[in-house]
Amino acid sequence: MTNSQPETLQRPRIYQFKLGDAIVTNLLEGHVTREDLHPFVATNATAEEIETLAGQYQIPYPKLEHSFTTTVIEIDGKVIAIDPGFGENSPMPSAGFFLQTLSAAGYTKEDIDMVVISHSHPDHIGNLMTGGEPTFPNAEVVYGRKEFDYWQSGKNIAEFRKPTLALFQKVALPLADRIRFIEPDDSIVQGITAVEAYGHSAGHLAFLIESNGQKLMMLNDTVAHYVASFANPDWAFSMDDDADAAAVSRRRVLTNVSRDKIPVIGFHLPFPAIGFVEAAASSFVYRPATYQFNV
Ligand SMILES: [Zn+2]
């Protein structure tokens, strides 16, 4: 046996903590190594800008790790999975492990009372169905109305998003009957509110979690990379469907959480994908959490 393949090496994949009376569990669904930090995380930056930034933060260039962290929250008497990953629809062998990790964390798929979707990209919706059946048999599915309508219409879909549309039609559309549709500012359960963060996809949502005076913002894909997306919020993530709108949302949400000192979870932030946002001159800095949630 050799550990030369990264997939065979052990790494943290479960991080659980209390937020007020809620129990939050971050689960690593998978990760992928890429060779294109530029332009992947900042299409409108120069390669030199990104290479310099990588040097300052002591991260490699152009190699990067793009990871996928799903979150399960016990709140308001429910077990809620937010964006449960690719599941069997993972296009890469190093992702698609939500169910295994969920089980290692002590939950079954039957335990999930509700699945909340931030947007319709494959890493967020792929696991809605397994083998043509709902992956979470007891779960109500909660979806932004604007987001669902956009993909259901099938109009104005970029060429590179055609496979995303096909996946949406395969795993989300068949669930339409059991979906509860929401709008920004709607309360999903007591303690989870939808936050408008349009741009990364047409109806992309963030979620504000609140329990017993403690708050946490689920950024989802409002940010893509823990250095670049904060260093210059106007840099476009190559996976942003509407880069200009995404930048406006990114700046607004990051301004609010840095001002109000609300910790954040981001789906693509390095595991355990939780930290704090500090405002800098006209940008931000992400400070990964250490033990703040353990004490
Ligand atoms: Zn994503």
Side-chain angles (χ1 to χ4, degrees):
M1 170 168 170
T2 164
N3 275 343
S4 62
Q5 294 300 314
E7 287 73 23
T8 67
L9 296 174
Q10 295 297 319
R11 56 161 65 195
R13 57 188 181 134
I14 300 170
Y15 180 58
Q16 192 164 59
F17 60 94
K18 285 196 81 175
L19 183 86
D21 299 324
I23 296 173
V24 181
T25 309
N26 278 356
L27 301 168
L28 186 66
E29 217 259 344
H31 55 90
V32 64
T33 303
R34 303 179 56 112
E35 305 286 340
D36 58 348
L37 186 62
H38 182 271
F40 180 62
V41 301
T43 58
N44 53 348
T46 65
E48 197 181 11
E49 283 175 303
I50 299 303
E51 187 169 6
T52 302
L53 193 66
Q56 286 165 2
Y57 278 79
Q58 301 187 55
I59 54 174
Y61 182 89
K63 211 180 263 262
L64 77 145
E65 180 175 89
H66 190 56
S67 56
F68 312 98
T69 294
T70 66
T71 299
V72 171
I73 305 179
E74 287 189 51
I75 193 169
D76 195 21
K78 289 186 159 56
V79 183
I80 301 173
I82 299 185
D83 290 351
F86 286 112
E88 68 171 11
N89 290 297
S90 176
M92 55 199 77
S94 55
F97 301 111
F98 179 71
L99 292 181
Q100 290 94 317
T101 319
L102 183 72
S103 156
Y107 297 103
T108 67
K109 57 188 195 302
E110 288 79 13
D111 290 337
I112 304 296
D113 300 305
M114 181 184 284
V115 172
V116 179
I117 299 295
S118 69
H119 69 294
S120 307
H121 295 167
D123 43 332
H124 302 260
I125 64 166
N127 203 15
L128 280 173
M129 306 265 276
T130 301
E133 297 292 329
T135 305
F136 307 97
N138 303 319
E140 178 183 30
V141 177
V142 175
Y143 222 113
R145 165 60 76 186
K146 181 183 168 85
E147 176 70 7
F148 195 90
D149 286 355
Y150 172 78
W151 291 94
Q152 187 172 30
S153 82
K155 289 186 195 135
N156 303 317
I157 307 286
E159 198 53 40
F160 87 105
R161 282 290 179 206
K162 292 286 162 65
T164 301
L165 176 61
L167 182 65
F168 172 86
Q169 290 165 341
K170 177 180 161 194
V171 302
L173 207 48
L175 296 174
D177 284 352
R178 54 193 285 175
I179 289 178
R180 168 152 67 104
F181 293 103
I182 55 163
E183 308 282 348
D185 302 324
D186 278 358
S187 173
I188 296 168
V189 293
Q190 178 73 36
I192 304 184
T193 307
V195 175
E196 192 257 283
Y198 299 165
H200 175 67
S201 74
H204 178 267
L205 296 172
F207 303 114
L208 179 65
I209 316 298
E210 297 178 85
S211 178
N212 204 9
Q214 304 291 304
K215 292 184 181 181
L216 172 69
M217 183 68 80
M218 304 274 319
L219 295 172
N220 306 321
D221 284 13
T222 307
V223 294
H225 186 269
Y226 86 100
V227 173
S229 304
F230 294 83
N232 186 342
D234 296 330
W235 278 340
F237 178 32
S238 54
M239 298 291 143
D240 286 341
D241 289 344
D242 180 339
D244 293 343
V248 170
S249 289
R250 190 176 301 122
R251 223 172 242 294
R252 187 187 65 248
V253 176
L254 294 181
T255 297
N256 292 344
V257 295
S258 61
R259 183 196 56 222
D260 298 340
K261 296 193 166 22
I262 297 174
V264 298
I265 288 176
F267 192 87
H268 296 297
L269 296 177
F271 196 78
I274 180 163
F276 301 84
V277 182
E278 219 173 86
S282 64
S283 64
F284 301 90
V285 176
Y286 174 67
R287 304 281 185 209
T290 56
Y291 57 68
Q292 292 94 331
F293 297 94
N294 303 340
V295 295

